[in-house]
């Protein structure tokens, strides 16, 4: 196998043995490569054809299936590939269009071409995750689907670096549109997030832990647990669900269990409750709890029960609920904490909530009460060096605000950093896709101060792990943001020449130490 799409890739260069660091075996890796080649064929078949919703969903499902920690089942991946080919054949006069052999990309002799094509491919995979979340809520953008097709066709072309770099930025532009679409899908379906304190303790009695990102799945589970005596707890990137009015109206949505995705094997060990994985971030479950793990959507793992969607786009979670009742939960209150010992965390500072107090933020910056705003967020992971983000937040000036999003926040979101002007210093904006909220806020502040976003006292300090982070980075670059700090390591698929271009044009800065980076940012 060959895979270097995520931050934990072996030796910071690529997984090449019989299994990747994530646990994906070589058979599944090859199946995902074949699926990607078939998706290029689908993009070729769609060229010049009218918009087709079935083809668009097939594209998104195929791309999302290849994101890290989504599908570990080779047979399931092969079934997706067969469906992609059937849809492509339907668009192409019942002839399978020319596909793309991904070995050509992995063995591309020009490392810079390979680097930029990989940047495009991985960004598309990340964007597909966001587009899929919107699609299942019936929010679709046909122009966005066409952008997917165009960029996929570029991967299968013989373009030069000069040809391909604009395509990478096109992915970033499209992802901004995509995140805006998902923002509308979530807020119009479940209401605008409101600041909400979320307890980390678990009450006695039966409960279910829901992981992933898909709010529709969580909504259906909450509807089905109404009056059943089963509580529901979020995990990982599901934490922001507590801020949505239509979800929090369910009294059985109690709190958040555990921290970020990479700690699940330890945190789920011995837990007397089932876990439902709705999107990426599943790890190979330990035997001690594998008998109570369920998957749904595109997440699959060999041997685990999978809950399918019916013809009416609904899911029956009765098997999960029955398992919760059977296991019974804890006998007494289980007092869990965050990584730093906090008993609760706060979420729900989306763009509506922050802009609702924008006058306070603007006045605080103008008066000097707030000296700087840091966006510290992104993916968490297991490799050493990620304590950088905790130390950075702890050492940031006490008169600074910390915006955060995605699962990287679990490193520090239970810290008590106090308040400024009645606002908590840590403002959790939500999931990784809620980088859109951060950009909306930044744009509004720039307008208020009559300056560009790059002129604001704002610095982005990002952690990356998988392909959604790649899509977000491309979005930031496409919007012209500069001086971004990126860590804890640089992507293995970025060649030295491409990195040099990003540094020169966009002032991308690899993270070093919190002290050194803060001194650089603050001009000390």
């Amino acid at each position: 196998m060959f895979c270097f799409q995520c931050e934990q890739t072996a030796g910071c260069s690529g997984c090449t043995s019989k299994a990747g660091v994530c646990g994906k075996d070589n058979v599944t890796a090859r199946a995902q490569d074949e699926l990607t080649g078939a998706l290029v064929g689908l993009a070729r078949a769609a060229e010049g054809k009218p918009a087709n919703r079935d083809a668009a969903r097939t594209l998104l499902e195929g791309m999302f299936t290849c994101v890290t920690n989504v599908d570990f089942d080779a047979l399931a991946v092969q079934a997706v590939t067969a469906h992609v080919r059937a849809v492509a054949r339907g668009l192409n006069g019942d002839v399978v269009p020319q596909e793309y052999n991904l070995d050509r990309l992995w063995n591309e002799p020009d490392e810079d071409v390979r680097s930029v094509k990989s940047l495009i491919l991985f960004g598309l995979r990340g964007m597909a995750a966001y587009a899929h979340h919107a699609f299942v809520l019936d929010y679709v953008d046909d122009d966005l689907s066409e952008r997917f097709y165009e960029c996929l066709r570029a991967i299968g072309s013989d373009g030069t670096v000069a040809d391909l770099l604009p395509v990478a930025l096109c992915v970033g532009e499209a992802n901004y549109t995509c995140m805006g679409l998902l923002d509308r899908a979530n807020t119009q379906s479940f209401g605008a997030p409101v600041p909400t304190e979320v307890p980390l303790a678990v009450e006695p009695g039966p409960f279910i832990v829901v992981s992933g990102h898909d709010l529709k799945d969580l909504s259906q589970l909450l509807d089905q647990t109404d009056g059943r005596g089963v509580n529901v707890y979020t995990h990982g990137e599901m934490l922001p669900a507590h801020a949505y009015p239509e979800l929090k109206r369910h009294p059985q949505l109690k709190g958040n269990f555990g921290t970020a995705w990479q700690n699940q094997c330890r945190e789920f060990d011995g837990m007397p409750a089932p876990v439902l994985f709705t999107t990426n971030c599943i790890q190979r479950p330990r035997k001690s709890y594998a008998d109570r793990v369920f998957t749904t959507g595109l997440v699959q793992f060999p041997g685990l029960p999978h809950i399918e969607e019916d013809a009416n786009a609904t899911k029956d979670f009765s098997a999960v609920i029955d398992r919760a009742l059977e296991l019974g939960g804890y006998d007494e209150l289980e007092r869990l904490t965050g990584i730093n010992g906090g008993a609760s965390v706060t979420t729900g500072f989306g763009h509506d909530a922050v802009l609702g107090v924008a006058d306070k933020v603007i006045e605080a910056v103008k008066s000097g009460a707030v000296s700087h705003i840091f966006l510290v967020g992104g993916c968490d992971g297991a490799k050493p060096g990620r304590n950088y983000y905790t130390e950075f937040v702890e050492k940031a000036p006490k008169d600074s605000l910390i915006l955060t999003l995605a699962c990287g926040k679990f490193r520090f979101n239970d810290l008590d950093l106090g308040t400024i002007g009645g606002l908590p210093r840590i403002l959790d904006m939500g999931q990784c896709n809620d980088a859109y909220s951060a950009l909306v806020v930044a744009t509004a502040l720039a307008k208020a101060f009559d300056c560009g976003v790059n002129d604001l006292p704002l610095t982005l300090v990002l952690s990356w792990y998988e392909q959604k982070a790649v899509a977000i980075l491309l979005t930031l670059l496409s919007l012209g943001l500069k001086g971004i700090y990126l860590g804890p390591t640089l992507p293995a698929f970025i060649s030295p020449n491409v990195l040099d271009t990003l540094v020169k044009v966009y002032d991308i800065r690899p993270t070093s130490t919190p002290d050194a980076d803060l001194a650089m940012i603050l001009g000390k």
Side-chain angles (χ1 to χ4, degrees):
M1 67 179 292
F2 178 77
C3 184
F4 63 171
Q5 68 175 358
C6 79
E7 186 260 343
Q8 69 180 2
T9 194
C12 294
S13 59
C15 294
T16 58
S17 63
K18 292 184 178 180
V21 174
C22 69
K24 178 175 63 179
D25 63 35
N26 59 340
V27 177
T28 305
R30 295 296 299 178
Q32 290 184 356
D33 282 357
E34 185 177 0
L35 169 56
T36 302
L39 289 166
V40 174
L42 174 61
R44 288 168 170 165
E47 187 169 12
K49 306 293 195 312
N52 183 301
R53 293 294 171 87
D54 183 42
R57 179 161 189 163
T58 300
L59 171 75
L60 298 180
E61 290 177 345
M63 295 295 290
F64 195 1
T65 292
C66 297
V67 169
T68 304
N69 294 93
V70 172
D71 198 329
F72 291 82
D73 190 330
L75 293 178
V77 176
Q78 290 163 2
V80 175
T81 304
H83 181 64
V84 168
R85 286 172 172 157
V87 172
R89 200 165 50 242
L91 294 177
N92 203 46
D94 206 31
V95 176
V96 176
Q98 182 183 7
E99 297 181 355
Y100 179 66
N101 186 340
L102 224 61
D103 284 340
R104 287 182 56 193
L105 177 55
W106 307 147
N107 296 305
E108 167 62 53
D110 187 326
E111 67 171 351
D112 297 330
V113 168
R114 183 179 75 162
S115 179
V116 182
K117 282 192 174 184
S118 297
L119 195 60
I120 295 168
L121 174 60
F122 302 151
L124 287 173
R125 287 177 176 175
M127 182 167 65
Y130 299 144
H132 187 267
H133 297 326
F135 199 108
V136 298
L137 291 172
D138 295 324
Y139 283 74
V140 186
D141 184 329
D142 292 333
D143 290 337
L144 185 61
S145 299
E146 183 54 38
R147 302 285 283 278
F148 270 105
Y149 292 136
E150 291 173 1
C151 296
L152 266 175
R153 289 193 290 267
I155 294 171
S157 73
D158 294 324
T160 65
V161 170
D163 299 325
L164 294 166
L165 278 173
V167 179
L169 293 179
C170 178
V171 173
E173 293 170 0
N175 188 57
Y176 184 70
T177 299
C178 184
M179 290 192 297
L181 179 70
L182 180 54
D183 179 79
R184 293 193 299 277
N186 285 338
T187 56
Q188 293 179 18
S189 298
F190 307 114
V194 295
T196 303
E197 185 176 3
V198 183
L200 303 181
V202 180
E203 296 182 10
F207 68 97
I208 298 167
V209 173
V210 184
S211 189
H213 305 73
D214 198 291
L215 298 183
K216 182 181 178 181
D217 284 337
L218 176 60
S219 177
Q220 292 189 65
L221 178 65
L222 289 170
D223 287 340
Q224 293 173 37
T225 51
D226 280 337
R228 295 294 305 275
V230 176
N231 291 329
V232 176
Y233 292 82
T234 56
H235 170 261
E237 284 272 59
M238 273 295 192
L239 166 64
H242 291 273
Y244 288 89
E246 283 301 305
L247 299 177
K248 65 186 299 180
R249 68 180 176 82
H250 295 273
Q252 72 271 27
L253 181 61
K254 291 291 187 178
N256 190 73
F257 185 100
T259 53
W261 69 274
Q262 78 279 0
N263 300 319
Q264 64 189 258
C265 290
R266 171 176 50 83
E267 293 175 342
F268 294 165
D269 196 22
M271 181 185 69
V275 183
L276 175 66
F277 281 93
T278 65
T279 59
N280 57 303
C281 296
I282 190 172
Q283 291 179 306
R284 179 183 297 277
R286 291 180 178 176
K287 292 181 180 179
S288 60
Y289 68 87
D291 64 338
R292 50 187 186 272
V293 177
F294 296 79
T295 63
T296 192
L298 299 176
V299 187
Q300 298 209 49
F301 200 98
L304 297 184
H306 186 74
I307 298 171
E308 298 282 1
E309 184 178 81
D310 65 20
N312 297 315
T314 60
K315 297 178 181 179
D316 181 0
F317 292 116
S318 58
V320 187
I321 298 169
D322 291 344
R323 188 73 172 117
L325 290 167
E326 177 187 349
L327 289 166
Y330 294 111
D331 294 330
E332 299 177 350
L333 181 70
E334 188 76 4
R335 297 186 184 278
L336 303 178
T337 67
I339 288 177
N340 304 288
S344 67
V345 294
T346 301
T347 189
F349 288 94
H351 55 82
D352 284 338
V354 175
L355 293 180
V357 293
D359 55 337
K360 294 182 180 179
V361 176
I362 293 167
E363 179 56 35
V365 173
K366 287 182 175 178
S367 69
V370 170
S371 66
H372 208 86
I373 301 173
F374 297 97
L375 173 60
V376 185
C379 309
D380 206 356
K383 286 174 68 173
R386 289 182 176 267
N387 58 319
Y388 167 94
Y389 297 94
T390 307
E391 293 179 19
F392 187 98
V393 168
E394 289 177 322
K395 292 179 177 181
K398 296 187 184 302
D399 59 355
S400 63
L401 284 174
I402 310 293
L403 307 180
T404 190
L405 47 82
C407 61
K409 63 175 171 273
F410 283 101
R411 295 273 170 173
F412 52 81
N413 67 338
D414 64 321
L415 290 171
D416 183 3
L417 298 185
T419 63
I420 298 178
L423 292 173
R425 283 190 57 215
I426 296 180
L427 302 175
D428 176 14
M429 307 196 81
Q431 296 182 347
C432 52
N433 53 280
D434 290 309
Y436 177 79
S437 276
L439 292 170
V440 170
V441 169
T443 302
L445 290 177
K447 183 177 180 180
F449 285 105
D450 193 24
C451 67
V453 172
N454 288 316
D455 300 316
L456 290 170
L458 169 70
T459 302
L460 279 62
V461 184
L462 306 180
S463 55
W464 87 283
Y465 173 74
E466 42 91 308
Q467 296 79 66
K468 286 181 285 182
V470 176
I472 291 172
L473 177 63
L474 290 175
T475 294
L476 298 175
L477 299 183
S478 72
L479 294 173
L481 272 74
K482 297 185 178 182
I484 299 168
Y485 285 76
L486 180 65
T489 58
L490 293 174
F493 53 83
I494 298 294
S495 67
N497 287 335
V498 171
L499 175 61
D500 186 59
T501 297
L502 295 178
V503 169
K504 288 179 178 177
V505 177
Y506 298 102
D507 195 22
I508 289 284
R509 302 180 182 186
T511 55
S512 56
T513 68
D515 289 323
D517 291 344
L518 280 167
M520 177 67 71
I521 293 167
L522 301 173
K524 296 181 179 179

